[in-house]
Amino acid sequence: MQMTNDEIVMRYRQAKDKGDQVQILAELNNCPVERIIGILTSAGIDNRCFNKLRAKLEKHEPQKEQAEAEKQPEADELLPMDRRFPVEVAKKLSKTVEEAKQESYYCEELFEPIRKEVAALMDKRRGIYAELRNVDAELAKYVEFFSAQMLQIDTLRKDGDDNECNQN
């Protein structure tokens, strides 16, 4: 399929001749008409809308199959004349594709150690963050402890100042 289901539904809904549009969409997406009908019905379009189209297709289907059976074009005939490749060009393209695949494998071999190093660094980073959280929690305990000690000292000092005032 070349179009998304949403594109197919949109183009169908915008079409003036819905029956022809279904066939056009099937040709454009290189799929059977029934598949396009299935997409459209799953999008909420009433299945009965396609009864005439189905009848029309059933009527023309045997003739179409017979014509296709009589003439099976060669792969080169499927392309327009200006788009056909000479054999040499096709071989060069094939060779180029193979070279590109090999370069791709070579790049994968180059990147694999880098990926492993990055993964190791990420693990190390996670470990450092975990250690930092532990140290931070311990520091918070010390801060809490010393804050409580300072409050006690302040209370004792205040009590001591009050006692001196009472003695005088």
Side-chain angles (χ1 to χ4, degrees), residues 32 42 55 83 88 96 98-99 112 118 129 135 157 164 166:
S42 68
R83 311 264 331 249
E88 308 85 46
T96 304
E98 285 302 315
E99 288 173 355
E112 191 58 32
V118 168
Y129 278 135
V135 169
R157 234 188 246 155
E164 283 181 22
N166 288 338

Side-chain angles (χ1 to χ4, degrees), residues 4 12 27 30 37 39 53 69 81 87 89 110 114 122 125 151 157-158 167:
T4 65
Y12 174 79
E27 289 174 15
N30 196 25
I37 291 172
I39 291 169
L53 177 62
M81 282 301 267
V87 175
V89 174
L110 287 177
I114 296 170
M122 294 296 286
R125 177 180 174 201
L151 281 174
R157 234 188 246 155
K158 189 175 181 185
Q167 289 177 359

